Amino acid sequence: MASMKLVLLFRRYLSIVLTLFQRLFSRLFDFPILVQIADSFLSLYFLAFCDLRPVTVDLDDGETTVHFWISGHRRISRPNLVMLHGYGGNSKWQFVYQVSDLSKSFNLFIPDLVFFGKSYSKNSDRSVEIQARSIVGGLRKLGCVEGGGTSVYSISYGGFVACKMVEMWPEMVEKLVIVSSGVGFTQQQKTAEMKKHGGDCSKMLVPKTPMDLRMLVKISMNTGLAFVDWVPDFILSQFIEVMYEKNRQELIELAKNLLEREEESELPVISQKTLIVWGDKDKVFPLEHGYRLQRHLQSSRLEIIKGSGHAVNIEGATTLNNLITSFVLSV
């Protein structure tokens, strides 16, 4: 009991010190320099330690630009792996725990989905289809889909995009990995899940305040939740500014389109071999949906990562990397 009181007292004084520090240097912290420095270090990590390089592709529609991280030295002996992220930031922040391992076994193609990171479009379409068309258009320009042998690993929102890619261009995708994705949720299921978290998709998926961001972390993760309580509000505000402010309205429209689309009530028909991975503590898309998806997809198997929530790519990254590598490389 005494030790707990000391911890609480320490946290209170630390909060006061950080608040004073923020006010003393308010001009500096008004500019999101800390998060931008961290983002730059992530880029350096991708370049120097993972042999990845940034490429920006202008599509033939004249409206869309897609940013990729791709393997700097592609090898014929390695299969191609496309990695599609979810809603929590750009591809760098979501896949930082995975790219080092996966780059040793695959030629990686890691796009920022449209309106995330450095990808953008003047097109007013906010559907999953526009995401799929943009990613495939970029992959074609990069020579990824030529000759087959390309697999897709997708998580959460990326799972919707991946399934649409397989539906529209089945010959391009050899194997599919779906992680913690609500593909096939009925309208009733989507409404029920939203009610559990307050019913406002914009606050949950596109946080505006530090409180919103803390809630997103709490919903997405099962372990490691305590660290976010120690992060000062001004740092969380900087993260929000860097990740969400530029395309906030477009991101909200993407989320609303996904939640309101009726055609998602039917699960997709996928013939490709599919690995489904779920965290047993997922609060966003409960594990029961993973079982439902596995029953629907005949050429699939379900792997459950114990102790992980929705953010399996962070909480169970090593296990997930091993599952993806063994599944895609197996003959």
Side-chain angles (χ1 to χ4, degrees):
M1 183 65 70
S3 61
M4 180 61 69
K5 287 183 178 180
L6 286 173
V7 170
L8 293 174
L9 186 63
F10 174 75
R11 288 178 61 179
R12 179 178 298 176
Y13 280 115
L14 180 62
S15 177
I16 292 172
V17 170
L18 288 171
T19 300
L20 291 173
F21 187 67
Q22 176 186 359
R23 290 178 179 176
L24 287 171
F25 298 94
S26 58
R27 290 186 179 180
L28 174 63
F29 290 129
D30 281 342
F31 184 74
I33 188 170
L34 296 179
V35 175
Q36 288 189 348
I37 289 173
D39 195 69
S40 297
F41 272 109
L42 282 183
S43 296
L44 182 62
Y45 172 70
F46 272 46
L47 284 163
F49 295 95
C50 306
D51 189 30
L52 296 169
R53 60 186 179 88
V55 177
T56 300
V57 179
D58 291 326
L59 302 189
D60 293 334
D61 62 5
E63 297 181 314
T64 307
T65 297
V66 183
H67 180 269
F68 285 83
W69 283 93
I70 66 173
S71 293
H73 298 85
R74 284 181 259 175
R75 300 182 182 178
I76 298 176
S77 59
R78 294 179 178 176
N80 297 330
L81 181 66
V82 179
M83 301 172 63
L84 301 180
H85 64 81
Y87 242 85
N90 58 37
S91 57
K92 281 190 297 186
W93 288 82
Q94 288 211 11
F95 294 133
V96 63
Y97 294 108
Q98 297 188 265
V99 289
S100 179
D101 284 347
L102 295 178
S103 64
K104 297 172 184 175
S105 302
F106 304 103
N107 299 317
L108 297 182
F109 294 81
I110 312 173
D112 287 332
L113 297 176
V114 178
F115 301 119
F116 295 84
K118 297 181 179 179
S119 295
Y120 186 77
S121 179
K122 296 178 183 178
N123 196 316
S124 60
D125 190 351
R126 301 291 181 262
S127 67
V128 172
E129 287 86 347
I130 191 65
Q131 296 284 8
R133 292 183 186 279
S134 298
I135 299 306
V136 170
L139 292 173
R140 280 176 168 159
K141 289 219 164 191
L142 293 172
C144 172
V145 295
E146 303 300 329
T150 296
S151 296
V152 178
Y153 151 48
S154 60
I155 184 166
S156 195
Y157 177 63
F160 292 89
V161 180
C163 288
K164 185 58 63 175
M165 286 174 59
V166 173
E167 179 185 333
M168 297 174 74
W169 298 278
E171 72 284 355
M172 289 185 178
V173 181
E174 184 175 342
K175 292 182 179 180
L176 177 63
V177 180
I178 301 174
V179 180
S180 305
S181 181
V183 177
F185 255 38
T186 64
Q187 195 69 33
Q188 184 179 5
Q189 287 172 319
K190 285 185 280 189
T191 301
E193 291 303 319
M194 288 306 301
K195 284 182 177 179
K196 290 180 183 178
H197 308 300
D200 189 345
C201 71
S202 62
K203 280 191 174 182
M204 186 172 76
L205 295 176
V206 193
K208 192 170 185 178
T209 68
M211 183 181 297
D212 296 338
L213 185 54
R214 286 190 173 93
M215 178 59 68
L216 177 61
V217 173
K218 183 177 181 181
I219 293 170
S220 301
M221 299 181 69
N222 178 55
T223 59
L225 296 178
F227 84 93
V228 78
D229 293 330
W230 294 79
V231 180
D233 282 358
F234 70 87
I235 293 181
L236 296 181
S237 295
Q238 288 186 14
F239 183 85
I240 290 169
E241 182 174 347
V242 171
M243 295 297 156
Y244 300 104
E245 288 305 328
K246 182 180 178 181
N247 299 319
R248 172 172 294 278
Q249 186 57 40
E250 290 86 348
L251 292 173
I252 292 173
E253 291 170 2
L254 284 174
K256 289 183 176 178
N257 178 277
L258 184 67
L259 293 168
E260 293 170 0
R261 54 190 290 132
E262 293 291 343
E263 60 266 32
E264 291 298 336
S265 61
E266 293 296 329
L267 284 163
V269 177
I270 295 174
S271 60
Q272 283 84 352
K273 289 184 178 180
T274 304
L275 171 67
I276 303 167
V277 184
W278 231 267
D280 67 339
K281 305 297 183 184
D282 195 330
K283 300 187 186 85
V284 179
F285 299 122
L287 178 57
E288 62 193 48
H289 184 66
Y291 286 111
R292 176 170 173 258
L293 192 59
Q294 193 274 328
R295 289 194 298 270
H296 175 77
L297 302 178
Q298 295 183 354
S299 299
S300 69
R301 81 170 194 259
L302 173 65
E303 295 285 349
I304 300 168
I305 299 182
K306 293 184 178 180
S308 291
H310 184 66
V312 179
N313 54 316
I314 297 174
E315 295 184 294
T318 300
T319 303
L320 178 57
N321 289 343
N322 291 337
L323 287 170
I324 293 170
T325 302
S326 62
F327 169 72
V328 176
L329 294 184
S330 65
V331 179

